[in-house]
Amino acid sequence: MPSNENRQRAASARTGWALSAPALLLLGFAASGPLLIVLVYSFLTPGDYGNVVWKFSLDGWRGILFTRDIFDGTLHLADANLTIFWRSVKLSLLTTAITFAVGFPTAWFIATRPAKSRALWLFLITIPFWTNLLIRTVAINEVIRNEGIINTLLIWTGLITEPLRIIYTDTAVLIGMAYVYLPLMVLPLFAAIDRFDMKLLEAGYDLYASRWQVLRRVILPIVKPGIVAGSILVFVPSLGAYVTPRVLGGGKNMMIGNFIELQFGAGRNWPLGAALSMTLLIIVTVALLFYVRAANRGSPHG
Amino acid sequence: MSKDVAVEVRNAVKAFGQGDSAVRALDDVSVDIRKGEFFTLLGPSGCGKTTLLRLIAGFETPSSGQILLDGKDITRDPPNRRPVNTVFQSYALFPHLTVAQNIGFGLEMQGRPKAEIAAVTANMLALVQLGPMAQRKTSQLSGGQQQRVALARALAPRPKVLLLDEPLSALDLKLRKEMQIELKRLQLETGITFIFVTHDQEEALTMSDRIGVMSAGRIRQIGTPRDIYTRPVNRFVASFIGESNFLSGAVETGGVRLSCGDLVEAAGTEGRSGKVTLAVRPEQVRLTRAGEPGALPATITDWVYFGTDTHCHLALSDGTEVVARLQSPATGDAGLEKGKAVALRFAPGAAQVLGD
Ligand SMILES: Nc1ncnc2c1ncn2[C@@H]1O[C@H](COP(=O)(O)OP(=O)(O)O)[C@@H](O)[C@H]1O
Ligand SMILES: [Mg+2]
């Protein structure tokens, strides 16, 4: 009897929910708990030695964009904060673009190797993950600083007389982030290209497409899920990056991550730090929504 | 070169690899394919059919030799500059495009106006009877439908030559028969030159205007299906297409003296002397009365009933084995008994002297 069957199915579904309830509760609490705490803190008043005082205030959120004049108490747009936001978004977008430009040919190269050597190449790509992020970043520092490997070599060969000033600039942060996040771009791209049917290249050429058209009209639309995944995996952590801008950007070239840390540390303004954290979360969510929407809009015809 | 030749392959050689490990996939192949004909490349797997097709499409360049299209040397032209399209064995349809977009792809890449693309696509959809499927993704189609999309996509830009690499091999038997008829119809309706690759002799015989039989990187014989079947030039062709009895003998005036001592009439003795091999199709071997002109004494060694016909295995007086395919009588066993002494003869013109 169908109704009986339905009832059975509903019952087994209920049992399923009941059995997973403890895990779901734990997960839900672990995901939303800290977030809730941060949200609540953003509406409180900073204490004198850090921490918070349980008194409602919007100053945390106001502090994201405005500063209060010490003398007359009027609000001004906080240029420094805007610069930090803009730098974070700009550097993250550039990092995504650079890792894609370098990662796509790399992933293509690996995916077109014979099956045996492919495993080795993938293994090589993941080697940097074996080392602590801080150590990798300090290593980059060693390469690009004024007395570092690059400058020493260039001066020794006589190409330049003064060291190139890379360290403690946005460029240094960009180099560092592109290096650190490159594998996160390569791996999803590889997975997508690996599934790509190479016969389609011949089909494209056969139907009068130039190399460029084959790339744009055949390869890119088909491996798009890999591009989307790689971009998200690089963009999101770039936006919240802390170690890389700290080590390679020096104190001046802060990104959102460093700015937040500052509020919880020397700044002693936890509500502002909490509000900044929520803002970062909102920026990432909105950016992702836009990106996924645009990516799903389909091929040039569709 | 005459004006009705579409594709001319001149002394094409294609070697893969270097030095000792080099494989000669094509070994000095020359062939003229005429405008508007259905030409089939037939041969066993690995004989170089795909390689020859890829040379014409432009996916490979020959190690030496030339490819001409309408009398123009296209040997070094890339695939996207050749008015030649391919129907791939795996179809290779674009998974991110709809059926209609797949069909219009070639025209779009050629930069044709939108209105023309839409019109041609609609025509092609009608031609392959896929009108209602126009907006589907190709993954939502059955194997036979994907096949039709691949055909329509390759025909839409009206290529001078259409190349088809074993396009039917992935289909089941019933669908394959349907598509054979469909392909032939499309070829007649469009008037486009088809170069069709298959390892299926029946497909080749039923569909082609002419067949080129290949083995080990060479074309062994070119001719109409009837030529190829009735006048195979060598042992490979005679055994690859249909079945044959092979008899050895020596050319004499008036025919060929078989190793069993009897003289039989044979085609292809002109200009030949000394030892030769004769090929005779089993259905051209008849049982007859001893003493008739051309009758060879033989003994029945075995027979197998196949329904419409019965295969009778015979031994000539020197032991040479001959198979006769006899029509089964309505009733009874036609008097076939193991060990019975009989006589056989070859139908007039059925015995063919083979070259090497
Ligand atoms: N890209 C290649 N590299 C090396 N050998 C190849 C390549 N393509 C074909 N061959 C060899 O050339 C011969 C002919 O192959 P192919 O033209 O595919 O035969 P067919 O289509 O008749 O089955 C085979 O021995 C095959 O192994
Ligand atoms: Mg093949």
Side-chain angles (χ1 to χ4, degrees), chain B residues 287-290 296-300 312 314 335-336 340-344:
Chain B
L287 292 189
T288 184
R289 267 187 306 265
L296 313 176
T299 315
I300 297 178
C312 183
L314 302 141
L336 301 177
K340 185 176 170 186
V342 292
L344 62 82

Side-chain angles (χ1 to χ4, degrees), chain B residues 68-150:
Chain B
L68 286 81
L69 182 70
D70 282 352
K72 193 173 136 278
D73 189 338
I74 56 161
T75 315
R76 309 271 150 203
D77 287 1
N80 57 340
R81 302 260 177 73
R82 299 185 186 200
V84 170
N85 289 151
T86 306
V87 176
F88 295 89
Q89 185 170 1
S90 56
Y91 312 147
L93 300 178
F94 300 122
H96 58 302
L97 302 181
T98 63
V99 168
Q101 288 166 348
N102 263 282
I103 296 175
F105 189 87
L107 295 162
E108 210 184 322
M109 292 300 116
Q110 286 179 320
R112 306 279 186 83
K114 280 222 160 63
E116 185 191 340
I117 297 174
V120 173
T121 302
N123 280 345
M124 283 296 146
L125 281 165
L127 192 66
V128 296
Q129 295 152 15
L130 282 177
M133 309 284 171
Q135 298 313 319
R136 295 241 188 129
K137 282 280 166 79
T138 56
S139 55
Q140 297 167 312
L141 303 182
S142 72
Q145 290 169 332
Q146 293 188 6
Q147 171 77 80
R148 285 162 203 265
V149 177

Side-chain angles (χ1 to χ4, degrees), chain B residues 16-17 23-25 43-52 60 165-166 197:
Chain B
F16 289 108
V23 180
R24 278 206 163 199
S45 167
C47 70
K49 307 180 295 290
T50 298
T51 306
L52 181 51
E60 311 272 6
D165 192 357
E166 312 211 16
V197 161

Side-chain angles (χ1 to χ4, degrees), chain A residues 197 199-211 213-214 217-219 221-222 299 301-302, chain B residues 54 59 79-80 82-86 88 92-97 101 105-106 108-110 153 157:
Chain A
D197 176 8
K199 268 269 172 246
L200 297 178
L201 298 184
E202 288 190 348
Y205 290 134
D206 192 59
L207 291 162
Y208 314 104
S210 62
R211 283 170 164 272
Q213 283 172 317
V214 167
R217 301 297 301 278
V218 179
I219 301 174
I222 294 177
S299 49
H301 311 267
Chain B
R54 291 173 61 82
F59 300 132
N80 57 340
R82 299 185 186 200
V84 170
N85 289 151
T86 306
F88 295 89
L93 300 178
F94 300 122
H96 58 302
L97 302 181
Q101 288 166 348
F105 189 87
E108 210 184 322
M109 292 300 116
Q110 286 179 320
R153 184 180 72 173

